[in-house]
């Protein structure tokens, strides 16, 4: 090393240390003086640790997908007790690559053009679109009004010889009866994508969601239990079957990072080993910065989920005891444990309360309400162009339960950073709103 390069290296190190110290001090100051933007779900929750980790990546040189993404995948798999996971740039991308895998030759029951795939009527858009993007037909299945999850009876009614798969969604963190759903899938030779984008850490019989379906997806968008700003994960039970395929799908269809990378290189010595393409694929890669943030967040995830459960129980007990006859809250099945993403409220048919007036009142007090995910998806303008069909528990195409939840229900954001006064403020405002909406 020349004297000049030595001096440059020393100066860089000193500056970097100073920058990280400042970033950390800034993060700490923000934390001490933060005003929980109470019911706003798109506010940053980053502390000094995440800010420093992100800036450290930016200053370090290696910013595109590398070791930190791998480390986060491994840490996530460990946390979720999943055999393996692949990180992508959103929960929507996780659904897309998972669906592509379930439609591929590797799938035990490949979803082909014209096949049908069940999905709950109360769902998110990008839980439905990958079905259509594979050339398959989405079948909206009515919900159970108590859990707000897909109704088992309606699923049974919806299955035909054309059915090839199920997209299960654990709505607002409330876990679906996965043992019954998997038994149904096995009986009818269906593949299952478990969309856990709202349910990190929810359990069924003590087993974390994301460990029942063939593949599962998680979202790390800002409002979710753990956030990397944008980000997502596919977890899998059978890495031998899926992992290499998903790695190619995530990045250009090439071989980089696959377990059989060297084999491909020796089979095609005439090709440059870094540019061998073996599958159709996308580019849905996360960056090192996103993974670095995720690694920090994962260390605090258990504590956050505990706090979310605490807030949810407090609200549930209060609301049920005071307004249980008017307001229906989401019910969790015995031996299932929710990991709350939000609080759903459905105004009962017998109640004289007007749900719109109630929401307008809450909004006027800074408590934002939103639909139950995207509401009844059959009501969305895009649905008409998807050539799907709808099935209810009575076998008809009338999504009565989903429609009721759509028109009479809404969701309040629930966040680990809500302070005790904010939690209480919500109950006070709900009481005042109920009075104003009679
Ligand atoms: C059930 C469900 N699936 C998928 C997604 C998509 O996740 P992302 O926003 O990370 O793309 C969401 C988003 O909130 C969701 O709620």
């Amino acid at each position: 090393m020349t004297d000049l390069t030595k001096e440059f290296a020393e100066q860089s190190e000193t500056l970097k240390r100073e920058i990280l110290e400042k970033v950390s001090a800034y993060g700490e100051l923000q934390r001490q003086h933060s005003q929980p933007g109470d019911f706003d779900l798109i506010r940053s929750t980053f502390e000094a640790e995440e800010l420093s980790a992100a800036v450290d990546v930016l200053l370090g040189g290696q910013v595109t997908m590398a070791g930190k993404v791998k480390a986060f995948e491994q840490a996530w798999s460990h946390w979720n007790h999943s055999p393996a996971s692949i990180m992508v740039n959103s929960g929507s991308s996780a659904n897309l690559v998972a669906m592509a895998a379930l439609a591929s030759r590797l799938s035990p029951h490949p979803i082909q053009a014209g096949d049908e795939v069940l999905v709950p009527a109360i769902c998110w858009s990008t839980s439905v679109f990958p079905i259509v993007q594979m050339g398959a037909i989405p079948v909206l299945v009515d919900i159970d009004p108590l859990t707000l999850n897909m109704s088992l009876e309606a699923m049974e009614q919806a299955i035909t010889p054309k059915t090839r798969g199920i997209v299960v969604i654990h709505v607002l963190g409330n876990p679906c009866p996965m043992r019954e759903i998997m038994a149904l899938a096995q009986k009818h030779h269906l593949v299952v994508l478990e969309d856990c984008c709202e349910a990190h850490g929810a359990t069924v019989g003590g087993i974390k969601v994301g460990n029942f379906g063939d593949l599962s997806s998680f979202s790390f968008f800002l409002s979710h239990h753990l956030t990397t700003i944008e980000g997502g994960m596919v977890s899998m039970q059978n890495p031998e079957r899926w992992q290499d395929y998903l790695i190619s799908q995530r990045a250009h269809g090439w071989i980089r990072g696959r377990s059989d990378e060297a084999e491909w290189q020796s089979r095609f010595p005439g090709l440059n080993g870094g540019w061998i393409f073996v599958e159709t694929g996308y580019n849905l890669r996360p960056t090192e910065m996103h993974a670095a943030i995720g690694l920090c967040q994962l260390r605090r995830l258990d504590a956050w989920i505990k706090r979310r459960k605490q807030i949810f129980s407090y609200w549930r007990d209060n609301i049920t005891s005071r307004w249980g006859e008017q307001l229906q809250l989401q019910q969790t099945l015995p031996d299932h444990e929710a990991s709350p993403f939000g609080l759903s409220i459905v105004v009962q048919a017998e109640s004289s309360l007007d749900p719109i007036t109630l929401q307008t009142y809450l909004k006027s007090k800074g408590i934002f309400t939103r639909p139950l995910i995207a509401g009844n998806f059959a009501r969305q303008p895009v649905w008409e162009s998807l050539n799907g069909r709808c099935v209810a528990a009575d076998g008809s195409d009338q999504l009565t339960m989903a429609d009721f939840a759509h028109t009479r229900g809404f969701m309040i954001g629930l966040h680990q950073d809500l302070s005790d006064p904010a939690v209480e403020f919500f109950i006070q405002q709900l009481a005042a709103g109920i009075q104003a909406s009679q």
Side-chain angles (χ1 to χ4, degrees):
M1 211 187 255
T2 66
D3 283 352
L4 219 59
T5 49
K6 196 164 164 234
E7 194 184 327
F8 166 72
E10 279 171 7
Q11 272 184 4
S12 300
E13 260 322 297
T14 309
L15 275 175
K16 187 175 169 187
R17 203 173 41 248
E18 284 171 14
I19 291 168
L20 290 176
E21 276 167 17
K22 291 268 186 237
V23 168
S24 187
Y26 175 88
E28 190 51 34
L29 189 74
Q30 295 298 313
R31 194 187 62 76
Q32 284 169 8
H33 295 273
S34 69
Q35 300 287 335
D38 291 333
F39 297 90
D40 180 3
L41 279 188
I42 48 166
R43 190 175 57 89
S44 162
T45 56
F46 295 150
E47 294 189 6
E49 200 189 351
E50 284 96 334
L51 296 178
S52 299
V55 173
D56 192 32
V57 169
L58 288 176
L59 298 178
Q62 176 60 56
V63 289
T64 57
M65 191 176 77
K68 289 210 164 21
V69 170
K70 195 142 205 77
F72 183 46
E73 288 171 346
Q74 282 166 358
W76 175 261
S77 296
H78 180 74
W79 183 85
N80 205 52
H81 309 144
S82 299
S85 306
I86 294 294
M87 189 185 181
V88 287
N89 60 2
S90 72
S92 302
S93 300
N95 278 345
L96 179 60
V97 288
M99 193 51 78
L102 295 176
S104 74
R105 65 187 183 285
L106 302 177
S107 176
H109 311 294
I111 296 167
Q112 295 179 343
D115 285 344
E116 292 189 343
V117 178
L118 314 187
V119 59
I122 298 281
C123 63
W124 186 246
S125 59
T126 52
S127 312
V128 181
F129 295 155
I131 300 171
V132 182
Q133 282 149 348
M134 296 308 130
I137 297 166
V139 178
L140 289 185
V141 175
D142 208 359
I143 60 157
D144 173 331
L146 297 181
T147 64
L148 299 184
N149 283 327
M150 186 153 47
S151 145
L152 267 176
E153 293 73 33
M155 284 171 76
E156 292 196 38
Q157 291 285 349
I159 292 173
T160 71
K162 283 172 78 181
T163 313
R164 197 69 59 230
I166 311 173
V167 176
V168 176
I169 301 178
H170 306 291
V171 172
L172 306 181
N174 195 26
C176 296
M178 287 313 299
R179 292 171 291 214
E180 290 80 355
I181 291 174
M182 292 315 292
L184 198 65
Q186 207 166 17
K187 181 171 159 203
H188 295 278
H189 310 293
L190 311 177
V191 285
V192 176
L193 164 56
E194 224 186 315
D195 181 333
C196 311
C197 285
E198 305 183 346
H200 317 52
T203 56
V204 176
I207 297 171
K208 281 183 175 164
V209 297
N211 289 308
F212 293 91
D214 295 277
L215 291 166
S216 59
S217 60
F218 292 85
S219 166
F220 303 138
F221 182 61
L222 212 54
S223 52
H224 294 244
H225 303 60
L226 173 154
T227 180
T228 57
I229 310 178
E230 295 276 8
M233 196 72 87
V234 183
S235 293
M236 65 204 86
Q237 295 305 304
N238 184 347
E240 289 74 31
R241 186 194 291 270
W242 305 114
Q243 195 164 18
D244 281 342
Y245 184 82
L246 289 166
I247 286 171
S248 292
Q249 282 287 317
R250 169 177 66 179
H252 309 288
W254 64 23
I255 57 167
R256 290 191 208 173
R258 287 176 63 122
S259 63
D260 56 1
E261 192 175 346
E263 256 168 69
W264 283 108
Q265 284 164 340
S266 63
R267 274 177 63 194
F268 292 88
L271 291 174
N272 183 317
W275 282 266
I276 300 180
F277 299 88
V278 291
E279 300 283 357
T280 56
Y282 308 95
N283 178 7
L284 308 169
R285 286 175 298 191
T287 70
E288 287 289 271
M289 200 182 73
H290 295 111
I293 294 173
L295 280 164
C296 299
Q297 294 247 315
L298 198 50
R299 292 194 269 275
R300 307 206 291 282
L301 184 57
D302 285 329
W304 290 339
I305 291 176
K306 193 168 161 208
R307 172 69 179 155
R308 281 173 177 262
K309 287 180 181 172
Q310 205 180 34
I311 298 171
F312 185 86
S313 311
Y314 183 79
W315 281 349
R316 185 197 51 212
D317 295 348
N318 252 281
I319 294 170
T320 311
S321 63
R322 293 169 72 177
W323 306 292
E325 285 178 9
Q326 303 201 67
L327 306 180
Q328 173 72 55
L329 302 188
Q330 207 174 6
Q331 306 285 303
T332 299
L333 297 170
D335 197 29
H336 291 50
E337 197 163 352
S339 177
F341 178 67
L343 177 80
S344 68
I345 293 181
V346 180
V347 178
Q348 295 287 50
E350 306 76 41
S351 169
S352 59
L353 272 179
D354 175 32
I356 305 291
T357 314
L358 179 57
Q359 288 181 73
T360 309
Y361 179 87
L362 293 173
K363 274 179 198 158
S364 75
K365 301 295 171 194
I367 298 167
F368 297 99
T369 66
R370 55 188 69 207
L372 300 169
I373 320 192
N376 175 5
F377 204 70
R379 285 184 171 233
Q380 295 292 346
V382 69
W383 175 248
E384 283 212 3
S385 66
L386 303 184
N387 298 319
R389 60 185 190 98
C390 303
V391 181
D394 63 2
S396 76
D397 62 358
Q398 300 301 305
L399 300 176
T400 322
M401 300 302 166
D403 236 10
F404 186 78
H406 178 104
T407 45
R408 311 272 301 176
F410 58 90
M411 166 197 159
I412 305 285
L414 190 163
H415 204 280
Q416 62 267 8
D417 282 357
L418 284 180
S419 60
D420 286 345
V423 171
E424 192 53 48
F425 175 76
F426 169 66
I427 293 292
Q428 286 161 5
Q429 293 312 319
L430 186 63
I434 287 171
Q435 263 201 334
S437 315
Q438 298 279 6

